[in-house]
Amino acid sequence: MTPTKVCASRLVGKVAIVTAATAGIGLGIALRLGQEGAKVVISSRRQANVEEALKKLRQEGIDCCGCVCHVGSGQHLQQLVKLTLDTYGGIDILISNAAANPASGPILETAVAAIDKILEINVRSPIILTKEVAKHLKCGSSIVYISSYTAFNPAPPIPMYAISKTALLGLTKALAEELGPRGIRVNCIAPGVVATKFAASLIESKEGQKMVEEATYIKRLGRPEDIAAAAAFLSSDDAAYITAETLLVAGGMQSRL
C-alpha cells in the first residue's frame, strides 16, 4: 500500500468504523479517513490481519483500534460498536465495506448455500450493523455503503453477487429517507474493478486485465485510494447536502446513463 499525500483535514474530531478494513479497499479507506483526521476503528475476520493493519495505520500517525468481527454474527457487530463507543465515546461515520462472493456462474445454477452466504454478508449484515450504529449517530453523521458497478447491470460471471450489490442501492435510498430528518446522510459508492485480491479472478490473466482496462475511459484499473477519496468526500461536510446517492467510481466503465 503506497500512502497518498493528503492535504485535507476534513474529518478532525470524527470517529469512523470501517468493516473489512485490513486489506484492499477497506484498508485504503481507513488510511484516508485517518489521514484526514478521523479516529478509525477497523475490523476483519482474523486477529493477525487486524494487528498488521493497525500497525500500518499507526505508522502513518493515525489514532486507531480494531477487533475481530465476522459481520455475519450479530454478537460480533455489537462488540464492534461497543469497542468504538468504549474507546472514543461516539460514532460519526460508518463505512460498510465487508462483502463475500463464494460462487460464480448462472444464478439458477448457484448453490442455495452460496446464495444464502451472499445475501447474509452483502445485504443482511449491512442492515444489522446500521441498526446497531444508527442509535448512536447524531446530526451531521454519515453512512457509506460500498456496492459495485455491477449493481447496475448484474451480468456474468458474478450475477448473484451483483444482485446483492443492487440491493445496497435500494437500501441507501430507503435509509436516507428514514435518517434524513435526524440530519444523518446515507450514500453509496459503486467501485469499478479495483486491483485487489477480491478482484483477482477478473484480472489474474494479462488478457483479463487488458479487457477490464480497455472497458474504462482512462485505461487503467481502479486503486484502493480512488475509492478511499470518494469515501472521505462523502463522509465530510463537503458532501453535507448529498444523501441517497450512489457515486460511481469506475473510470468511465459503462454502467448507467
Side-chain angles (χ1 to χ4, degrees):
M1 178 177 60
T2 302
T4 300
K5 185 177 180 180
V6 176
C7 298
S9 55
R10 297 174 292 187
L11 305 177
V12 172
K14 303 292 186 180
V15 177
I17 293 176
V18 186
T19 61
T22 59
I25 289 174
L27 181 56
I29 291 174
L31 175 63
R32 179 60 182 259
L33 299 188
Q35 287 174 329
E36 293 212 25
K39 298 176 176 64
V40 183
V41 181
I42 66 170
S43 69
S44 179
R45 290 180 299 167
R46 295 179 176 84
Q47 183 65 41
N49 293 348
V50 172
E51 292 173 358
E52 182 178 354
L54 288 174
K55 181 179 179 180
K56 292 177 181 178
L57 294 172
R58 287 167 180 158
Q59 287 173 344
E60 297 297 318
I62 294 169
D63 188 346
C64 57
C65 67
C67 66
V68 170
C69 178
H70 189 302
V71 297
S73 165
Q75 181 180 3
H76 280 205
L77 295 177
Q78 290 173 355
Q79 290 171 350
L80 175 61
V81 172
K82 185 177 187 300
L83 171 66
T84 306
L85 297 173
D86 288 348
T87 305
Y88 297 121
I91 305 169
D92 303 285
I93 299 164
L94 170 62
I95 310 290
S96 180
N97 173 63
N101 183 36
S104 61
I107 293 170
L108 298 183
E109 296 177 14
T110 302
V112 171
I115 293 172
D116 288 345
K117 183 72 170 180
I118 290 170
L119 294 179
E120 176 191 32
I121 302 301
N122 299 0
V123 182
R124 180 182 180 276
S125 293
I127 296 172
I128 301 303
L129 178 57
T130 303
K131 284 172 64 70
E132 292 295 329
V133 169
K135 65 188 78 170
H136 303 289
L137 299 179
K138 55 186 180 294
C139 182
S141 297
S142 171
I143 297 171
V144 178
Y145 298 110
I146 306 301
S147 179
S148 167
Y149 80 103
T150 62
F152 296 100
N153 181 27
I158 49 173
M160 192 63 228
Y161 168 84
I163 287 171
S164 73
K165 292 300 188 175
T166 305
L168 293 183
L169 310 189
L171 180 63
T172 297
K173 293 285 188 182
L175 288 180
E177 183 174 3
E178 285 188 28
L179 295 173
R182 291 174 51 193
I184 299 167
R185 298 179 298 106
V186 185
N187 290 292
C188 187
I189 297 172
V193 179
V194 179
T196 65
K197 183 178 179 180
F198 194 83
S201 62
L202 298 176
I203 57 175
E204 59 187 352
S205 68
K206 290 183 178 180
E207 294 78 9
Q209 180 172 330
K210 182 69 172 177
M211 184 179 300
V212 172
E213 290 172 343
E214 288 300 314
T216 72
Y217 288 163
I218 54 179
K219 308 306 177 187
R220 71 165 174 86
L221 298 175
R223 301 164 184 153
E225 53 263 38
D226 295 322
I227 314 307
F233 165 67
L234 289 174
S235 299
S236 76
D237 288 342
D238 283 345
Y241 201 54
I242 300 175
T243 193
E245 296 295 341
T246 295
L247 179 58
L248 190 66
V249 186
M253 292 185 77
Q254 185 175 353
S255 56
R256 61 178 180 180
L257 293 177

